[in-house]
Amino acid sequence: MIRVLLLVAQGILIVLQAEFLARAIAGLDPAVLPWLCVAVAGRALVSWAYALHNQRGAARIKADLRVKLARRAHSRPSGGEFATLLTKGLDALDPYFGGYVPQITAAAVIPLIMLVRLGSADLTSMVIVLVTLPLIPVFGALIGLRTRDVTERQWEMLNHLGGHFRDVMVGLPTLRTFRRTEHQAGVIRTMAETHRRLTVRALRVAFLSGLVLELVCSLAVALVAVPVGLRLLEGGMELETALVVLLLTPEAFLPLRALGTRFHAAAEGKAVLAQAERVLAEPQPRRTGKTAVLGEIRLENVTLTYPGRSRPALDHVSLVIEPGERVAVAGPSGAGKSTLLHVILGFVAPDSGRVLVNGVDLADLDLDRWRRELAWVPQSPHLFATSIADNLRLGLPEIDDNALQEAARAANADEFIDDYDKVLGERGTGLSSGQRQRIALARAYLRDAPVVLLDEPTARLDPRSESAIVDGAANLLSDRTAILVAHRPALRALATRTVYLSQGRT
Amino acid sequence: MKSLTVAAGVAGEICGVGLVVAAAWLITRAAEQPPISALGLAIVAVRGFAIFRGVFRYAERLTGHDVALREVADRRVEVYESLVHQDDSDADALKRMVSDVDSTQDRLLRVRFPVTIALISAAAAITVCILVQPEAGAVVAAGIAIAATAIPGATALAARRMSKRKADAHAELIARCLDLVDGARELAAAGATDAALAKADQQTKAVHRLERRAAQIDSIAKATAVLLQGLTAAAALSTTDNEISAAVLAFTTLAAFELVMPLVDAAQQHHPHAKVHKGQNRHVRATLAPGATAVIGASGAGKTTLLATLAEEHPEARALTHDAHLFRTSVRANLMLAKPDATEPQLHEALRQAALRDVVDELPDGLETVVGEGGHGLSGGQRQRLLLARALLADAPVLLLDEPTEGLDQELADAVLDAVLAARRGRITVVVTHETRLERFDRVVELDGGRVVYEGEPRCRNDPASCSSGCTSSPRSAG
């Protein structure tokens, strides 16, 4: 609404500026100059408000989308892709919401105001403009349809050729390894040349729409100006009116022309918007339910198949874990060991069968509260881009420094932490896998939860790191219920019994 | 070629300005009711400008893209040749280089050409004003100078400062996003999701604040240009007492400003120049010995660096490293990279050793299936085995393998490693590994903190007293 009001004001000020300018020229009347300046100032003011309104509108839409999308982060497959969508991706909405969408309104409002004024000044000119104006969208659409087929066919080819350089550059270390770097410079040159040739060939057609657009706009000015000039010659028209017509005719075409150029810039934004909307349309998991009362954890015929897989990850698994028991889960890789823990954590729900906590189905529990009873050390822990201390006290902001250091000692993590306030890089870069595992162990230690879930914390570690982890885990597990996914014997020794999983079956 | 683009662009813009100015002249002159012959030239000019403006613009855009793409091709070859002999460029730096080089195109098409064309055309318009009325010309020149330099300059300065801050804010937001996605389960398990979301929201607000400020800068710049345009036109036409001159001056001024006003947008474009990044290498030294050597040690002990050093010192060595790349081409071409004259049986043998034959047989086009980015999706384990098969195919006297069975499950890893060592019997093979079954190797090199702490037979490693030779130093106890 504000946008339409601003556009109407802008249209009126454009007309006023033209009137005053025409009078200043035609009568050489200096008295009109201050009025002209006022109109110009008004136009500048409105154009400031209009640009600010549009750009801030786009910024607000982006901020809203960022907040909403962040709430869907947990179900995204790739962090990098998601981060790109939220930063650079959404920035493509600037030309869409800040440029293209307002331009649609402008293309409806401004030409209308111009036509009204042109009509009251000179009906013939108005008719010429009225007839030529629709040619822009019509020709634009016709040529657009024609070129779309051509460009879509070539697009894949162009993409392939354009991507070649990136492929070679990223593969440079590999080429070096195999001593195959010499000929690539020639290949790069040839590929880039072919890319250029084909692109220019495609553009020859694609730019035709621009050519037609320019032609229509320019010819309309010529079509209006020449007859107006001839009528002036015969004395059938006032100079002032003629000048107003000449000033306003291009203004009628300007918004439509700008719409054409903004159309392409907006295409990317449109795609990003669709992507964001797809993400937001995904169903959200429920967050409320009964409060868990701790007791035995019972899996009854739990079966789960991941989407796109033919074999179930868990196949009729039944298992009871009594309080105080430490159960090791062993079996080959891909047997469903981690999935078992994920089911207990409520990250995935079984397709059939159920998980009962002290007799209550996990599906009816408040998962947030249930997870408070659990401490989980994943196979490859994620470390957050924050201080080591904050990484340790994840979810427990009230933990004090003494408790932190004690937990780090218990998890054998104190030996490599020299500064608890040191901020880690993205995804916790700077720490080895063994060190990450020990941080995760210390985290679990701090949670002081009655049930501990360890997911193969020593899988890919060298013997020295492994023994440090096993020592730390031993401290953690005493007096607690635990499920240990463990391949190696050292960790399995901490369990009171062992369950074997193979191909999703016990 | 570049001057052709600029010439076409300038001609197009001059036609655009010429169209309205000729029309304005035509109208004001016609109002004086001269004989129609006095208007003939103006009528032809109006029609000519109207037609040729579009044609010139078309030529400018087409040749501009051609020139830009040629420049990109040159830059690509140049950057490639400068990087070929540097051993230390990491993958991220390489990706950055690619986007830097490709922004050459934008730099030309969105900044260099439009700016040059706008400035030359505006100069032509100013010349017209000077010819009509020198005082008016001076006023217009001053106005255009401000609109073409001061306003875009100030905007560019502010935008640059802003884009630096925005990049920082984005980097922070990216870190929050990565934490939210990659750490989603940890956050859920720890009940820390809401706290992490609050942190992300805070960052979103910070980005939003910066975007609001950027919008303010941009809209003020644009409004100032509009103000300057109108005022300059008013000032220019007030210098004359002739209707025709007044019309020409006013219309020329308005059109000339339209030429330079888009410079504010060009000024806010920021295209960093491609830079060649240099890292530095550490060195870890060990000697090569015949047979199979296992390199072990904790993460960060220098295993990968040791392989890099060996590869550098032995030109005949071939390696499978962590940054090994699968090119977007067929499985066959990816393999043949290692040995361009490989025969069909040799290809199949390498695939068999890497336990990949069945997988390749099941691919839609077998050996001709296109893999790599954008190609047929291989699983992590399959990809790793294909890279291994390629390294084996090289059939090099020295083969360096960095965790060749990473991502494979234990049984497969054992089988593949055994097949590899069997195939390499009698030649030098160095394997960085986390395997515990070291007895299948002829020799073990253990690293710690970038130093070799053990070098000798596997069986002596745990019991140095029983072996008298081969140890450079006694192994430290674990823990």
Side-chain angles (χ1 to χ4, degrees):
Chain A
M1 197 55 215
I2 296 177
R3 179 182 298 153
V4 176
L5 285 178
L6 285 171
L7 278 168
V8 170
Q10 200 175 38
I12 292 172
L13 284 161
I14 288 172
V15 171
L16 281 179
Q17 187 185 325
E19 306 279 354
F20 292 135
L21 199 58
R23 204 171 303 164
I25 294 169
L28 290 170
D29 177 9
V32 87
L33 285 177
W35 289 108
L36 176 59
C37 293
V38 170
V40 166
R43 214 186 139 181
L45 198 67
V46 171
S47 85
W48 165 76
Y50 180 68
L52 195 65
H53 175 74
N54 290 336
Q55 295 188 25
R56 290 206 163 162
R60 198 176 48 245
I61 290 172
K62 277 160 52 183
D64 285 350
L65 278 173
R66 284 187 176 123
V67 167
K68 280 189 198 152
L69 284 168
R71 268 124 196 100
R72 305 307 179 104
H74 58 88
S75 58
R76 296 291 93 212
S78 147
E81 215 170 88
F82 182 73
T84 311
L85 171 66
L86 247 70
T87 50
K88 271 192 181 162
L90 287 187
D91 275 352
L93 292 180
D94 279 335
Y96 183 69
F97 283 115
Y100 180 67
V101 174
Q103 197 64 41
I104 296 176
T105 324
V109 174
I110 300 285
L112 206 65
I113 297 175
M114 297 308 132
L115 280 171
V116 169
R117 180 64 190 101
L118 282 174
S120 66
D122 178 41
L123 212 58
T124 329
S125 302
M126 189 209 81
V127 171
I128 293 172
V129 173
L130 191 63
V131 171
T132 41
L133 259 181
L135 290 181
I136 292 181
V138 169
F139 275 130
L142 279 179
I143 295 174
L145 281 178
R146 195 76 200 94
T147 53
R148 200 184 54 194
D149 299 344
V150 182
T151 40
E152 262 177 16
R153 235 177 304 133
Q154 285 171 339
W155 193 243
E156 202 179 325
M157 178 67 166
L158 292 178
N159 241 351
H160 173 69
L161 290 168
H164 172 259
F165 178 58
R166 183 191 148 89
D167 200 33
V168 169
M169 289 302 281
V170 177
L172 193 55
T174 302
L175 292 173
R176 223 180 264 137
T177 301
F178 293 109
R179 310 298 191 268
R180 303 273 293 156
T181 48
E182 310 89 48
H183 304 297
Q184 281 299 326
V187 178
I188 289 174
R189 160 83 60 201
T190 323
M191 291 290 258
E193 274 299 305
T194 317
H195 178 238
R196 178 188 62 79
R197 246 192 7 258
L198 288 177
T199 307
V200 171
R201 193 186 297 166
L203 291 178
R204 240 174 247 157
V205 185
F207 286 163
L208 276 181
S209 64
L211 172 62
V212 172
L213 238 78
E214 298 264 356
L215 221 53
V216 171
C217 296
S218 315
L219 284 177
V221 173
L223 281 176
V224 167
V226 174
V228 163
L230 294 178
R231 267 188 290 154
L232 281 165
L233 203 59
E234 296 154 4
M237 203 177 187
E238 293 270 324
L239 174 59
E240 195 184 313
T241 317
L243 285 170
V244 168
V245 169
L246 185 61
L247 281 165
L248 294 186
T249 301
E251 297 287 352
F253 287 91
L254 211 57
L256 271 168
R257 241 182 78 194
L259 189 65
T261 53
R262 291 201 160 150
F263 181 74
H264 293 286
E268 198 190 339
K270 227 171 168 174
V272 168
L273 188 65
Q275 195 187 343
E277 277 168 353
R278 262 199 310 281
V279 173
L280 291 176
E282 287 172 12
Q284 280 272 60
R286 149 199 77 86
R287 285 194 71 171
T288 52
K290 292 182 199 162
T291 307
V293 180
L294 214 58
E296 55 156 42
I297 301 169
R298 178 185 289 269
L299 278 74
E300 281 181 356
N301 277 321
V302 169
T303 301
L304 177 100
T305 310
Y306 286 111
R309 302 281 171 83
S310 52
R311 215 161 45 78
L314 291 176
D315 192 358
H316 296 282
V317 171
S318 295
L319 179 66
V320 181
I321 300 127
E322 299 287 352
E325 252 194 315
R326 292 193 296 276
V327 180
V329 182
S333 144
K337 304 188 296 284
S338 297
T339 307
L340 186 76
L341 294 192
H342 292 171
V343 167
I344 293 172
L345 280 154
F347 293 151
V348 282
D351 300 331
S352 65
R354 49 187 196 157
V355 182
L356 299 171
V357 180
N358 203 15
V360 183
D361 195 333
L362 194 62
D364 300 328
L365 284 182
D366 177 340
L367 283 178
D368 281 348
R369 292 208 179 181
W370 162 235
R371 285 169 187 155
R372 274 182 222 161
E373 311 288 346
L374 308 174
W376 172 52
V377 179
Q379 204 168 11
S380 41
H382 177 82
L383 293 192
F384 297 86
T386 165
S387 68
I388 291 184
D390 284 349
N391 262 293
L392 288 171
R393 54 163 83 98
L394 185 70
L396 305 160
E398 70 283 0
I399 294 280
D400 66 38
D401 289 355
N402 286 334
L404 271 191
Q405 288 168 18
E406 196 188 314
R409 257 196 306 282
N412 263 334
D414 58 327
E415 59 182 64
F416 63 86
I417 305 177
D418 33 329
D419 178 9
Y420 283 83
D421 293 327
K422 186 180 159 196
V423 174
L424 298 174
E426 265 173 29
R427 293 176 174 135
T429 44
L431 292 180
S432 74
S433 6
Q435 291 169 342
R436 287 150 176 274
Q437 290 292 1
R438 281 182 264 173
I439 299 249
L441 267 182
R443 220 185 244 169
Y445 212 92
L446 280 174
R447 284 187 74 70
D448 199 19
V451 180
V452 177
L453 308 172
L454 289 185
D455 194 352
E456 239 176 324
T458 60
R460 302 222 155 267
L461 298 183
D462 52 278
R464 192 169 303 161
S465 306
E466 180 182 14
S467 71
I469 301 266
V470 172
D471 288 351
N475 291 337
L476 173 64
L477 295 180
S478 57
D479 303 328
R480 288 179 222 262
T481 309
I483 305 175
L484 321 165
V485 172
H487 203 78
R488 300 197 190 179
L491 190 63
R492 226 183 287 162
L494 301 176
T496 50
R497 72 181 164 109
T498 301
V499 173
Y500 290 93
L501 264 187
S502 174
Q503 304 228 327
R505 291 165 202 255
T506 42
Chain B
M1 238 354 222
K2 269 184 203 161
S3 49
L4 195 68
T5 303
V6 172
V10 170
E13 298 292 17
I14 287 179
C15 284
V17 178
L19 171 64
V20 281
V21 174
W25 187 89
L26 169 71
I27 285 174
T28 30
R29 179 78 181 101
E32 294 174 347
Q33 302 188 329
I36 188 159
S37 59
L39 301 180
L41 192 62
I43 290 173
V44 172
V46 166
R47 289 178 180 156
F49 284 142
I51 290 167
F52 282 108
R53 176 188 176 201
V55 176
F56 282 128
R57 283 277 292 140
Y58 178 79
E60 176 219 329
R61 292 174 78 192
L62 203 60
T63 58
H65 278 79
D66 193 66
V67 168
L69 289 168
R70 274 175 209 275
E71 188 118 334
V72 167
D74 289 346
R75 282 293 289 151
R76 284 182 172 182
V77 173
E78 196 182 305
V79 164
Y80 177 80
E81 281 176 343
S82 75
L83 279 176
V84 152
H85 301 295
Q86 281 195 9
D87 306 329
D88 44 13
S89 27
D90 66 288
D92 283 340
L94 288 171
K95 278 183 197 157
R96 214 167 31 240
M97 291 289 310
V98 174
S99 62
D100 285 357
V101 169
D102 288 350
S103 72
T104 305
Q105 191 178 339
D106 277 350
R107 208 158 40 229
L108 272 174
L109 290 175
R110 297 205 187 164
V111 183
R112 261 185 65 188
F113 285 143
V115 170
T116 316
I117 291 167
L119 292 179
I120 297 177
S121 319
I126 292 171
T127 313
V128 170
C129 294
I130 292 174
L131 291 176
V132 173
Q133 181 84 27
E135 298 95 314
V139 171
V140 175
I144 292 280
I146 296 173
T149 56
I151 296 176
T155 315
L157 217 62
R160 180 136 329 157
R161 208 175 310 140
M162 198 57 91
S163 83
K164 166 90 183 62
R165 291 178 58 186
K166 196 177 166 186
D168 291 343
H170 268 188
E172 188 67 26
L173 185 59
I174 285 172
R176 297 282 84 81
C177 289
L178 290 178
D179 282 350
L180 276 174
V181 176
D182 299 338
R185 291 189 155 166
E186 265 104 330
L187 289 171
T193 307
D194 288 341
L197 280 173
K199 264 175 117 177
D201 289 351
Q202 221 177 340
Q203 201 50 42
T204 293
K205 278 206 196 90
V207 171
H208 188 200
R209 269 198 302 278
L210 287 176
E211 284 174 347
R212 283 175 63 87
R213 297 224 356 229
Q216 185 65 276
I217 292 170
D218 183 68
S219 47
I220 287 179
K222 284 183 175 146
T224 314
V226 170
L227 186 69
L228 199 59
Q229 178 190 34
L231 295 184
T232 310
L237 75 88
S238 69
T239 60
T240 177
D241 49 9
N242 173 307
E243 281 185 350
I244 297 179
S245 301
V248 168
L249 286 173
F251 278 83
T252 311
T253 309
L254 292 179
F257 268 89
E258 298 291 342
L259 294 175
V260 295
M261 274 151 96
L263 294 187
V264 169
D265 289 326
Q268 290 175 60
Q269 299 254 346
H270 183 57
H271 298 296
H273 275 275
K275 273 189 225 100
V276 177
H277 302 271
K278 268 198 120 176
Q280 56 184 145
N281 264 359
R282 278 192 306 155
H283 284 272
V284 179
R285 292 189 180 279
T287 47
L288 285 179
T293 303
V295 178
I296 59 170
S299 330
K303 304 189 292 286
T304 299
T305 314
L306 171 69
L307 281 202
T309 314
L310 287 173
E312 210 170 294
E313 288 171 351
H314 301 273
E316 74 281 14
R318 296 292 178 267
L320 166 61
T321 51
H322 277 300
D323 54 9
H325 181 68
L326 215 49
F327 289 91
R328 186 173 54 192
T329 174
S330 65
V331 172
R332 180 190 298 277
N334 263 298
L335 287 170
M336 302 269 275
L337 188 73
K339 191 176 167 70
D341 54 355
T343 61
E344 204 71 6
Q346 283 173 325
L347 286 179
H348 286 290
E349 181 57 15
L351 288 173
R352 190 193 59 74
Q353 285 160 2
L356 204 64
R357 266 198 79 166
D358 296 343
V359 176
V360 170
D361 286 344
E362 279 173 24
L363 288 176
D365 299 315
L367 271 173
E368 310 308 326
T369 310
V370 172
V371 291
E373 207 176 327
H376 184 85
L378 295 177
S379 79
Q382 291 168 344
R383 183 181 172 281
Q384 180 69 14
R385 278 179 282 161
L386 184 52
L387 295 172
L388 177 60
R390 179 166 73 190
L392 289 170
L393 182 67
D395 204 19
V398 178
L399 184 62
L400 313 169
L401 304 173
D402 197 351
E403 298 189 52
T405 57
E406 197 188 4
L408 308 186
D409 63 47
Q410 199 65 43
E411 289 159 51
L412 192 57
D414 273 341
V416 168
L417 193 53
D418 283 340
V420 168
L421 293 180
R424 295 286 306 168
R425 191 156 295 143
R427 280 169 300 177
I428 299 172
T429 313
V430 181
V431 185
V432 168
T433 181
H434 281 152
E435 290 305 318
T436 40
R437 283 177 49 209
L438 294 174
E439 58 281 3
R440 53 186 142 178
F441 291 95
D442 300 315
R443 206 167 66 115
V444 170
V445 172
E446 185 174 4
L447 299 174
D448 189 21
R451 277 187 326 116
V452 177
V453 292
Y454 177 82
E455 191 170 354
E457 287 178 45
R459 64 184 172 84
C460 305
R461 181 169 156 262
N462 297 320
D463 188 13
S466 69
C467 303
S468 52
S469 68
C471 306
T472 54
S473 71
S474 60
R476 274 197 232 151
S477 59

